Amino acid sequence: MNPVATPVFFYGLSIAAIVFAIAVITRKNAVHAALSLIGTLVSLAGLYLMLYAPFVAGVQIVLYAGGIMVLFLFVIMLVNLDQNIREIQFNKQWLVGLIAALSLGGLLLFVLRQGRSIFPVDQVAVLPEGSNTQMIGIALYGQYMLPFEIASLLLLVAIVGAVVMAKKRI
Amino acid sequence: MGEITTLHYLVVAAALLIIGTIGVLTRRNVVIILMSIELILNAVNLNLVAFSRLYGLHGQVFAIFVITDAAAEAAVGLGIIIAFFRNKETVNVDEADLLKW
């Protein structure tokens, strides 16, 4: 079955993702920024679905929008940001940072424009055979066994580190 | 509107990366700086998944590893924010100058 109205969904989702991302870095209130970040994450999950990656899209919504953003909102509640809203939101070197980042963006666009003949970025995708989740599971527990175990160790270290950091006295 | 190719996804990912970089470089609130780092990681993920459509499943597996890293980074980073707020009663990065003498 061929996908229907791909450009409409692509442009809608990517414009939503970029507008929400701009809202993340411009809002004064950190709670509004967190909610905008959830909008970006959900739009990106839609883009993953369009790229035939349903498992990554599900992980994105469950783990990012569900887990990490709840962590962010908890910390926003724990630290008192009432005074911060009345202060200046951008630091002194914001103009230099803006110019540097925008020139980096121009460089990236230039590289993509020049490299479209080197990278096969214009070729049409082949649809994967079989279930996506099953294939990812086989890859995770077969070829990527060692990185998978290292990731579990990393998470353990992160849990211990977060508790040590946030606790008053140990 | 024409066919949507991988290049379109790469341009969207580049835009998200640049927005995240601007957030990291210009904001004072450290919570929003961490959110900008999440934006950068998501741009990387979009690149990986877009290329996995061309070169097989490896990109999606790496995207899952990146999400794991993002979870670990958020947990440790927010723990540091809480410890910092307890000491200095602020969340502005330019007031974190104890080591700057």
Side-chain angles (χ1 to χ4, degrees):
Chain A
M1 198 178 82
N2 280 322
V4 191
T6 319
V8 179
F9 282 106
F10 173 77
Y11 286 112
L13 285 171
S14 33
I15 287 170
I18 291 174
V19 168
F20 278 126
I22 291 174
V24 170
I25 64 165
T26 49
R27 290 292 96 190
K28 264 188 171 188
N29 196 329
V31 178
H32 296 173
L35 293 178
S36 308
L37 185 52
I38 292 178
T40 303
L41 298 173
V42 173
S43 315
L44 280 175
L47 284 179
Y48 295 158
L49 280 182
M50 291 182 58
L51 286 164
Y52 304 102
F55 183 71
V56 183
V59 168
Q60 171 95 357
I61 289 183
V62 171
L63 240 165
Y64 250 120
I68 299 180
M69 291 318 295
V70 169
L71 199 64
F72 268 101
L73 287 171
F74 264 116
V75 170
I76 291 171
M77 282 195 296
L78 281 177
V79 301
N80 183 15
L81 293 174
D82 289 343
Q83 198 194 347
N84 183 270
I85 290 179
R86 288 190 292 276
E87 293 175 347
I88 305 167
Q89 295 293 316
F90 295 95
N91 57 21
K92 270 176 273 176
Q93 67 269 21
W94 67 272
L95 192 60
V96 183
L98 190 69
I99 291 169
L102 285 180
S103 47
L104 177 66
L107 182 67
L108 270 178
L109 284 182
F110 177 73
V111 167
L112 286 179
R113 194 182 157 76
Q114 296 290 311
R116 66 188 302 166
S117 57
I118 303 169
F119 303 114
V121 284
D122 281 341
Q123 96 190 29
V124 182
V126 282
L127 295 188
E129 306 269 331
S131 162
N132 177 265
T133 309
Q134 189 185 8
M135 306 279 281
I136 287 183
I138 290 171
L140 269 181
Y141 286 107
Q143 193 182 356
Y144 291 99
M145 190 75 200
L146 187 62
F148 187 75
E149 296 297 333
I150 294 174
S152 68
L153 202 64
L154 173 81
L155 282 176
L156 178 69
V157 173
I159 293 169
V160 176
V163 171
V164 169
M165 290 287 179
K167 212 163 154 49
K168 264 199 187 97
R169 59 174 58 236
I170 297 159
Chain B
M1 286 217 214
E3 185 91 11
I4 301 297
T5 60
T6 310
L7 192 62
H8 291 75
Y9 290 98
L10 296 190
V11 172
V12 176
L16 285 178
L17 178 89
I18 295 308
I19 293 170
T21 313
I22 292 172
V24 170
L25 290 178
T26 59
R27 289 300 297 249
R28 289 176 79 210
N29 190 338
V30 66
V31 179
I32 292 181
I33 288 181
L34 268 185
M35 288 186 206
S36 306
I37 295 175
E38 301 292 333
L39 276 180
I40 296 175
L41 289 171
N42 270 290
V44 174
N45 266 350
L46 186 57
N47 259 346
L48 287 171
V49 176
F51 275 115
S52 88
R53 197 169 79 153
L54 297 180
Y55 298 110
L57 219 56
H58 307 282
Q60 294 181 26
V61 177
F62 266 86
I64 289 169
F65 284 133
V66 171
I67 291 176
T68 314
D69 277 359
E73 170 253 322
V76 176
L78 293 170
I80 292 175
I81 290 175
I82 290 177
F84 177 59
F85 183 77
R86 193 181 298 131
N87 284 328
K88 299 273 288 186
E89 293 289 323
T90 178
V91 286
N92 292 334
V93 276
D94 46 6
E95 292 174 44
D97 50 5
L98 283 175
L99 283 176
K100 195 172 154 192
W101 275 88

